């Protein structure tokens, strides 16, 4: 018998549905399962419902600035412990880290970089087929 693979939920918040589909494809066949929303107002509800191991957050969001959402995640007792990765086309890695992000990934995100970042942040080294 083969051991069961533990699925780890990653929450992605990005108003671009194409980006969310890309992340879904990048995580396909891995131990990570994507829960995604293009509506920042749903982010806390989804975080409470799914208890993600990591949150991927875009900066340019409708209705609320991604930096503000980052601050809210860091301040909220239910999400403050979750590593948050800012994914943006804007070259703002220093600001992201200063505001409490665990890491910054420039868009477009590459599969090997995303998976290595998730593995590092969740403290799990996984075996994957090369892509």
């Amino acid at each position: 018998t083969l051991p069961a693979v533990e699925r780890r939920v990653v929450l992605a918040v990005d108003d671009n549905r194409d980006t969310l589909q890309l992340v879904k494809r990048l995580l396909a066949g891995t131990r990570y399962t994507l829960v995604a929303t293009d509506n920042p107002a749903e982010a806390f509800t989804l975080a409470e419902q799914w208890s993600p191991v990591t949150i991927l957050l875009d900066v340019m969001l409708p209705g609320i600035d991604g930096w503000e959402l980052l601050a809210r995640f860091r301040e909220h007792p239910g999400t403050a412990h979750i590593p948050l990765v800012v994914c943006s086309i804007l070259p703002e890695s220093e600001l992201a880290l200063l505001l409490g992000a665990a890491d910054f990934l420039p868009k477009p995100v590459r599969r090997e970089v995303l998976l290595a970042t998730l593995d590092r942040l969740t403290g799990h080294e996984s075996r994957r087929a090369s892509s």
Side-chain angles (χ1 to χ4, degrees):
T1 62
L2 295 174
V5 175
E6 178 187 354
R7 304 298 283 179
R8 296 172 169 239
V9 173
V10 174
L11 172 61
V13 183
D14 196 309
D15 63 322
N16 185 322
R17 290 184 182 179
D18 291 336
T19 298
L20 295 175
Q21 284 299 315
L22 173 62
V23 173
K24 182 177 180 178
R25 283 194 307 271
L26 296 177
L27 295 179
T30 72
R31 71 179 58 255
Y32 300 103
T33 300
L34 181 66
V35 172
T37 182
D38 60 359
N39 181 354
E42 295 178 343
F44 283 98
T45 301
L46 290 172
E48 289 175 354
Q49 179 181 355
W50 291 96
S51 300
V53 295
T54 307
I55 298 171
L56 303 177
L57 178 63
D58 186 24
V59 173
M60 297 185 291
L61 297 169
I64 182 171
D65 181 73
W67 301 120
E68 176 64 27
L69 191 56
L70 169 62
R72 290 182 189 180
F73 274 121
R74 292 296 101 218
E75 294 169 359
H76 190 280
T79 58
H81 68 284
I82 301 171
L84 202 141
V85 178
V86 171
C87 297
S88 180
I89 197 163
L90 300 175
E92 297 288 354
S93 60
E94 289 182 30
L95 180 58
L97 298 174
L98 182 67
L99 294 177
D103 210 334
F104 176 90
L105 296 177
K107 287 183 180 177
V109 177
R110 294 185 3 243
R111 185 172 199 255
E112 61 275 5
V113 174
L114 175 61
L115 294 176
T117 300
L118 293 174
D119 286 348
R120 181 177 50 79
L121 292 177
T122 62
H124 190 87
E125 294 299 321
S126 63
R127 292 183 182 177
R128 294 184 297 274
S130 59
S131 47

